[in-house]
Amino acid sequence: MAKCPACDGPVGEPHPPECPTCGVRLEGTTEAFAPIGGTQEETGTGVVEDGVGPVLVVHKGPDVGERFFIDRARLTVGRDPGCDIFLNDVTVSRSHAVLELAGTEVSIEDAGSLNGTYVNGVRVDKAQLDDGDVIQVGKFQMMFMNRGGS
């Protein structure tokens, strides 16, 4: 069975226009997709194997399908190229938010951004993330997936 390039969820035959799991727009076949980071990678907090572990997947806005693996205790999010998760759009503050990983738990904290940080459509200062939560930073909407976590 074919898999979605963004979330690796199953995609039926014939391919629908959007992934039924994460909603990313599908174009053409996904059978030849080579996952990013498909090899074992050593990280500061453990081992990430074949994309197992917490990840943000862009599903609306610029760079649809891009994945950001949450593989360290602290990741900065913003428009500054020095941020760990670089989101290149004027709707994103230079230093927009911070993701924190503690064991299998992930939280996001707004860093005083102008446009705010949203989880499931609600503006938050700080929030614990659950599998399937939708995070919005500027024009970027990202789905949080905690595969292999809680």
Side-chain angles (χ1 to χ4, degrees):
M1 177 174 264
K3 291 188 176 186
C4 172
C7 72
D8 289 332
V11 177
E13 297 291 339
H15 298 296
E18 292 182 348
C19 172
T21 304
C22 70
V24 73
R25 182 167 168 72
L26 301 172
E27 294 182 19
T29 183
T30 58
E31 293 176 322
F33 172 71
I36 298 170
T39 60
Q40 189 174 22
E41 178 183 330
E42 192 66 40
T43 67
T45 58
V47 177
V48 175
E49 294 180 37
D50 295 323
V52 174
V55 63
L56 288 176
V57 180
V58 177
H59 72 100
K60 285 189 181 176
D63 304 324
V64 169
E66 187 164 2
R67 296 177 184 193
F68 300 104
F69 291 97
I70 303 167
D71 58 357
R72 293 193 305 262
R74 179 178 158 83
L75 294 169
T76 56
V77 180
R79 189 172 36 119
D80 186 315
C83 286
D84 300 307
I85 297 177
F86 173 55
L87 301 176
N88 192 16
D89 189 84
V90 295
T91 60
V92 177
S93 294
R94 291 184 192 279
S95 177
H96 199 103
V98 175
L99 288 161
E100 292 183 348
L101 173 65
T104 60
E105 301 292 319
V106 178
S107 63
I108 189 165
E109 183 173 1
D110 188 81
S113 67
L114 182 62
N115 291 326
T117 300
Y118 294 80
V119 176
N120 299 325
V122 177
R123 189 171 182 159
V124 298
D125 291 325
K126 186 170 185 168
Q128 190 74 29
L129 299 178
D130 293 316
D131 190 51
D133 281 349
V134 176
I135 291 85
Q136 181 149 353
V137 174
K139 289 182 182 178
F140 292 83
Q141 257 192 15
M142 300 168 280
M143 180 173 284
F144 173 72
M145 289 181 279
N146 198 2
R147 296 174 284 169
S150 59

